[in-house]
Amino acid sequence: MIENPLKIKEVLYAKCLDAIHGRFQTVQNTINEIQISLTSETKSSAGDKHETGRAMLQLEREKAGNQLAEIQKTKEALSRIDVSKTLKIIGLGSVVFTSQANYFIAISAGEFTIEDVSFYAISPNTPIGKLLISKRVGEAVVFREQQFVINQII
């Protein structure tokens, strides 16, 4: 299987951090573009059209600001994980190997492959995350009418 289990957790954690950083950069770039658009837009003879355009840009900037706040919350959730800890019961920071798929209980960041093994980084608040939390090795979980067994927890 996997040579160093704790190394897997460290790599998954780093990949989640990279995903958050990527999201942050994308939203920050969007905010910068909106700011440039707002400052460069000049008053035209069609005043109402100009005001509508500015209002739309302001809404976009507000939406991007909300996205930044969400990214910050996600980053804080990730910072609560101690990658050196191994738990007997699934919780935040657990790497879970099941008969169906493998999960990193952290943040929703998608699929990562490490040493040819796929892992899904999921939030404990997702439907599958809620089912896995507090389970132990050997327990079965039913999700979307499919049953799978927890084989290992790191």
Side-chain angles (χ1 to χ4, degrees):
M1 202 175 224
I2 291 172
E3 280 186 43
N4 182 349
L6 285 179
K7 183 75 174 165
I8 293 296
K9 193 182 277 196
E10 289 171 14
V11 172
L12 286 168
Y13 184 86
K15 286 180 178 276
C16 286
L17 272 178
D18 288 347
I20 290 174
H21 184 71
R23 287 184 206 159
F24 177 82
Q25 283 304 120
T26 301
V27 174
Q28 195 63 54
N29 291 343
T30 301
I31 290 172
N32 292 342
E33 289 169 13
I34 291 167
Q35 196 61 42
I36 290 167
S37 295
L38 277 170
T39 55
S40 68
E41 194 170 299
T42 56
K43 187 94 173 162
S44 67
S45 58
D48 287 346
K49 191 175 184 180
H50 169 77
E51 291 305 316
T52 302
R54 285 188 66 80
M56 294 298 289
L57 286 170
Q58 293 284 10
L59 284 173
E60 287 297 313
R61 185 168 65 177
E62 188 177 313
K63 190 167 92 175
N66 291 339
Q67 288 173 336
L68 276 182
E70 277 302 310
I71 290 168
Q72 189 59 38
K73 281 184 199 170
T74 303
K75 204 173 189 177
E76 287 170 15
L78 193 61
S79 72
R80 291 194 300 264
I81 294 173
D82 182 354
V83 293
S84 65
K85 269 189 179 172
T86 303
L87 306 170
K88 298 244 183 262
I89 298 172
I90 298 172
L92 186 65
S94 293
V95 176
V96 184
F97 294 86
T98 74
S99 56
Q100 198 74 15
N102 306 311
Y103 301 95
F104 179 46
I105 313 293
I107 62 168
S108 295
E111 183 178 5
F112 301 118
T113 303
I114 302 166
E115 295 182 24
D116 297 324
V117 179
S118 290
F119 295 88
Y120 294 96
I122 62 170
S123 164
N125 298 325
T126 60
I128 188 75
K130 287 177 182 176
L131 285 174
L132 290 171
I133 293 291
S134 300
K135 298 286 191 272
R136 298 173 183 269
V137 171
E139 287 191 60
V141 177
V142 177
F143 181 68
R144 294 189 180 155
E145 299 176 19
Q146 289 189 329
Q147 181 173 323
F148 55 93
V149 178
I150 298 164
N151 297 327
Q152 182 182 1
I153 302 169
I154 302 173

